[in-house]
Amino acid sequence: AGSFRADVWCAGSAPTGACCDQFAGTCTEGVEVGNCIGRWVEGGTCDPETFFPPCGTHACCNRAIFNPNVIICQNLTTEECDQTNDGFTTLGKFCDEVECPDAQYFGYEGDCLSEHPTPGCQNPFCTAAVCDLSVDPLCCGTDFGWDAFCVQQALTLCSEFENNALCATSKTITGTGFFGFDNTNAGTDGPTHPTCGAADGAIIKDVWFNWTATCNNRVHVSTCEQTFVDTKIAVYEGTTCPPTTADLVACNDDRCGLQTLALFDAVQGQQYLIRIGSAPGQGAGPGQFRLTCGPPTNPACPGSGGCCGGTGTPGCSDATCCRTVCACDPFCCDTEWDSACGTIGFEETGCGAAVLCLDSCAQGCPPGPVAGFEPPSGVVDARRPFDEETGTILQGIDHVSIIAPDGAEADCFAFCETDTEGSDNDIASVSDMAGLHAVEFLRPITPGAATTVTYENVLGGTTTLVYISHPGNVNGNGSADSDDALALVGFLSEIGTVPWGLFSADIDGSGTVTSLDLWELMNLLNGARSGMAWDGTGRPSPIGICP
């Protein structure tokens, strides 16, 4: 058994829409579905300002049948072009706006934005622009390669890159609406972020846009249903290049199938960098993204029935929530607001009200991936637990960074320690920075104890992260003993590694690892200064005491 979705009509005439002739480049309105040769869109219009996708989404350049030295342009989708072409690159242009380059500029290899020893580059449009006699014919000469000058010319002259393949040359966009992108030949110059989905948060082949907010509102940046590329989106406050995780205000991957929707609260007049790229291991290509202040309008919003469950009809009663969800999953407004629309989205995509409409649905613990980031879950903190001077003030882990769904509140996290030395410990505060949550404790975790932080989402799912303070246990195994001294000596001699970096090796808490840490380790194992000999003690475990 399984689930499916389908568009059906039960009585009367078939719906009519816009019929696009992919070869002639013409568009006819009012054609019944099934009677169109080409591509058909219900309720569409031939006006290119409002019809999306337009008649023909790409320029597909092929050799002419009558003469293989002539290249002709056809309006085809990516799939159609792949089925008909002979190795040429499909580009995100319309055929009524561009002519294909001469045949001599096809067939080159190499990234247009990277130096390589061979002439030309794999994008024939860009090769033609750079290698025209009025620019630099040497970039295509048989005795020359594609050098740094050719790369700079590509950035300047090739509209395929829109001068935005690098953060430092981000393209300025204004207002709201649809904006084109093409990351076919883009490199990667942005950082990775732990909250940006799988593959360690990496975004590859990125292109950049600089946008000044025109509103104080929740902004939607979406590639949903607007490209074949498996996109990832990150948004940063400010225009510093390269941006850092501290600048990150939104990041998302695969919210609507292989495409995505990123949301952030904009401040009017503030500049933002919008970064669009591909998921690691996936291809690149052309497409469009839509930027709106607030969710896009939808004729089904508001509908009838609450947003936080299935209504059985298109849309729901809260107009803002309705439009937000339907921008991510049109099925919820085109066909039916089902239980997936009211919870976490179809096939748990995150396109549901429980994730996107926290204010409306009053659910502050959305479902999603949870992981310890700094330090990671399972860390064993071998550093001394008390200050050197008085030996009474607790030291060690007093805050952690946790990847959790954006919007998760402090009461979503629960705290537990297997033992308490001194004052009670608990979570003091939780701050959310685009899904990276800084969790502060009342004091450092108890030495010789296991500490857990558990996240429980609205659907009852839980994730428990474990942090252990076991002074002297450098190798992180089952006990603290003389083997830990050997492990630290090996680390100081650059032979082998300890499992948790500074948590395992910076015994005196100085911020660097030196021979003094070995001295302090011997003090810990023998009980000097700490008041307790840690040699022979077992590694704490939360099992049976904490969740």
Side-chain angles (χ1 to χ4, degrees), residues 261-338:
L261 166 68
L263 306 174
F264 68 99
D265 294 319
V267 176
Q268 187 171 358
Q270 173 67 50
Q271 287 184 299
Y272 297 92
L273 284 172
I274 298 173
R275 175 188 180 193
I276 297 180
S278 299
Q282 302 302 310
Q288 296 191 82
F289 67 93
R290 188 179 189 181
L291 188 154
T292 60
C293 284
T297 59
N298 192 297
C301 302
S304 60
C307 294
C308 307
T311 67
T313 59
C316 70
S317 57
D318 185 304
T320 299
C321 180
C322 178
R323 293 196 300 265
T324 299
V325 172
C326 291
C328 194
D329 186 358
F331 173 87
C332 300
C333 280
D334 294 344
T335 307
E336 177 190 355
W337 190 277
D338 59 13

Side-chain angles (χ1 to χ4, degrees), residues 224-455:
C224 299
E225 297 189 330
Q226 296 173 65
T227 181
F228 293 105
V229 180
D230 183 353
T231 51
K232 299 181 76 170
I233 299 175
V235 182
Y236 306 89
E237 185 175 83
T239 57
T240 300
C241 291
T244 66
T245 296
D247 302 317
L248 188 70
V249 295
C251 194
N252 195 259
D253 178 30
D254 290 348
R255 180 163 268 164
C256 43
L258 296 179
Q259 287 72 53
T260 192
L261 166 68
L263 306 174
F264 68 99
D265 294 319
V267 176
Q268 187 171 358
Q270 173 67 50
Q271 287 184 299
Y272 297 92
L273 284 172
I274 298 173
R275 175 188 180 193
I276 297 180
S278 299
Q282 302 302 310
Q288 296 191 82
F289 67 93
R290 188 179 189 181
L291 188 154
T292 60
C293 284
T297 59
N298 192 297
C301 302
S304 60
C307 294
C308 307
T311 67
T313 59
C316 70
S317 57
D318 185 304
T320 299
C321 180
C322 178
R323 293 196 300 265
T324 299
V325 172
C326 291
C328 194
D329 186 358
F331 173 87
C332 300
C333 280
D334 294 344
T335 307
E336 177 190 355
W337 190 277
D338 59 13
S339 59
C341 302
T343 53
I344 59 174
F346 182 61
E347 295 185 344
E348 300 184 358
T349 57
C351 274
V355 179
L356 299 176
C357 309
L358 298 181
D359 293 338
S360 299
C361 295
Q363 297 174 335
C365 303
V370 177
F373 174 60
E374 183 60 39
S377 177
V379 64
V380 177
D381 189 354
R383 300 173 298 178
R384 68 184 180 201
F386 295 98
D387 67 300
E388 182 179 12
E389 294 184 359
T390 65
T392 59
I393 301 175
L394 274 174
Q395 299 182 149
I397 298 172
D398 59 3
H399 68 279
V400 295
S401 296
I402 297 176
I403 300 170
D406 193 8
E409 301 172 352
D411 57 7
C412 304
F413 300 88
F415 181 92
C416 175
E417 281 192 342
T418 58
D419 189 21
T420 299
E421 180 174 327
S423 62
D424 290 339
N425 201 7
D426 205 339
I427 294 175
S429 64
V430 176
S431 57
D432 179 7
M433 184 180 67
L436 187 62
H437 295 72
V439 180
E440 301 282 345
F441 301 147
L442 291 174
R443 61 164 176 78
I445 62 177
T446 300
T451 299
T452 64
V453 177
T454 300
Y455 179 85

Side-chain angles (χ1 to χ4, degrees), residues 14-21 25-33 35-37 39-55:
T16 60
C19 179
C20 300
D21 187 322
T26 60
C27 185
T28 305
E29 294 185 284
V31 180
E32 286 190 355
V33 62
N35 294 331
C36 175
I37 299 175
R39 279 184 300 283
W40 177 92
V41 174
E42 179 183 355
T45 172
C46 294
D47 182 352
E49 295 299 321
T50 57
F51 180 78
F52 185 85
C55 297

